[in-house]
Amino acid sequence: MQLFDLKGKNAVILGGGGILGTSMAEGLAKAGAAVAICDLKKEITLDVADRIGEKFGVKAKGFGVDAMNIDSLISTCKDVLKEFKSIDILVNAVGGNMKDATTSDTQSFFDLSGSALKKVIDLNLMAGAILPSQIFGREMVNNADGGVIINISSMNYYRPLTRTPGYSAAKAAVSNFTQWLAVDMARAFGDKIRVNAIAPGFFLTDQNRYLLTDPETGELKPRGNQIIQHTPMGRFGDPEDLIGTLIWLASDASKFVTGITIPVDGGFSSYSGV
């Protein structure tokens, strides 16, 4: 089990204040890593960091960051390095969707806001993968043992889902970028920097709850029922379901693995519907 040990490693989790990001931060801390939790709302990250530090007995600090802003990323990276001295693991968990970029019975594709679509693509691709990998990844190259970048992709990588054209396009691009960066890092630095992605299946979060459940009753909408019917395991994922795959990718257990996207989806991506 020492292959999965993260003691002595420093992990940065962007989007660490969200439901999935917080769970992943807890998983890394439980495996022994010190964690820097970064999110747009600093007060949330401070609360999460305090809770994780007390629960798991590791160093945990919270940082505010606007991952859409390169200057903010640079500043936060400097702050993290002051506290942790090095960065070994980067988890890019920034992402989400918007109602204005989502088709519905009252809003067709032709009615979608161009600015909303651009914001969703920038949020998931630029802020959710490319920009943080540039800023934090540069510091990993200076480590004797290199580092690991883990992006968060989506089921949209395998098949685009209805209603979410911007989100689908951006998440497919995240997996494509993961492959590209893995090759680029390997050719430049050998096995020093590994880059992989996790594609979660369907987890109820603040970003998708309005699409899947009725806000008044909490009951599943038709779309939510469709998802359950097409998930062979018959349920939504729990945030803790991501942790095993995350730790494997972050640890030496996967030291010859780079450029892949792993579905954690209860079988959704394998099911044809028949």
Side-chain angles (χ1 to χ4, degrees):
M1 296 302 293
Q2 290 180 349
L3 279 173
F4 300 92
D5 189 2
L6 298 180
K7 290 185 179 67
K9 301 292 186 181
N10 298 319
V12 175
I13 303 94
L14 293 179
I19 292 173
L20 299 187
T22 296
S23 182
M24 288 188 283
E26 290 179 347
L28 292 170
K30 190 173 183 180
V35 291
I37 296 119
C38 307
D39 209 296
L40 188 60
K41 296 182 179 179
K42 185 176 181 179
E43 62 273 16
I44 293 176
T45 72
L46 296 174
D47 180 62
V48 172
D50 287 344
R51 191 168 68 247
I52 288 176
E54 183 177 347
K55 184 175 181 179
F56 299 106
V58 301
K59 183 174 183 178
K61 297 286 184 180
F63 301 87
V65 66
D66 179 359
M68 301 271 274
N69 185 305
I70 194 73
D71 291 331
S72 179
L73 284 166
I74 292 170
S75 176
T76 299
C77 184
K78 289 179 179 177
D79 290 341
V80 170
L81 286 171
K82 286 179 185 176
E83 287 282 350
F84 292 86
K85 308 306 178 189
S86 66
I87 299 166
D88 305 291
I89 300 161
L90 172 65
V91 180
N92 287 319
V94 170
N97 196 24
M98 299 172 59
K99 284 187 177 181
D100 288 345
T102 304
T103 63
S104 66
D105 293 340
T106 59
Q107 182 170 252
S108 76
F109 168 73
F110 305 109
D111 301 320
L112 295 180
S113 161
S115 60
L117 286 168
K118 184 179 185 302
K119 185 172 182 178
V120 167
I121 291 170
D122 285 346
L123 177 66
N124 289 280
L125 178 59
M126 298 302 293
I130 294 177
L131 296 180
S133 295
Q134 280 187 310
I135 303 308
F136 291 89
R138 184 191 298 272
E139 301 303 326
M140 291 180 174
V141 174
N142 298 323
N143 297 344
D145 296 326
V148 179
I149 297 172
I150 301 169
N151 296 320
I152 304 302
S153 182
S154 165
M155 287 296 98
N156 289 280
Y157 166 57
Y158 301 95
R159 288 173 301 190
L161 305 179
T162 61
R163 297 195 177 186
T164 57
Y167 183 82
S168 294
K171 284 300 188 179
V174 166
S175 283
N176 184 281
F177 170 70
T178 297
Q179 292 176 305
W180 182 90
L181 188 61
V183 172
D184 188 71
M185 292 294 99
R187 294 181 71 178
F189 306 108
D191 61 1
K192 198 172 185 181
I193 307 293
R194 297 189 293 110
V195 188
N196 293 294
I198 297 173
F202 291 90
F203 296 70
L204 283 176
T205 67
D206 295 336
Q207 286 80 20
N208 67 13
R209 197 176 300 274
Y210 74 94
L211 277 172
L212 306 180
T213 63
D214 187 299
E216 295 182 1
T217 66
E219 297 294 321
L220 290 179
K221 290 182 178 179
R223 186 178 181 86
N225 280 313
Q226 279 185 312
I227 288 167
I228 295 300
Q229 291 165 8
H230 285 79
T231 301
M233 287 190 176
R235 66 173 176 86
F236 291 113
D238 293 320
E240 294 79 10
D241 292 332
L242 298 173
I243 292 173
T245 301
L246 176 70
I247 292 173
W248 176 64
L249 289 176
S251 69
D252 286 345
S254 61
K255 64 182 179 181
F256 196 53
V257 177
T258 196
I260 65 169
T261 296
I262 302 176
V264 181
D265 65 348
F268 182 92
S269 60
S270 299
Y271 184 42
S272 70
V274 178

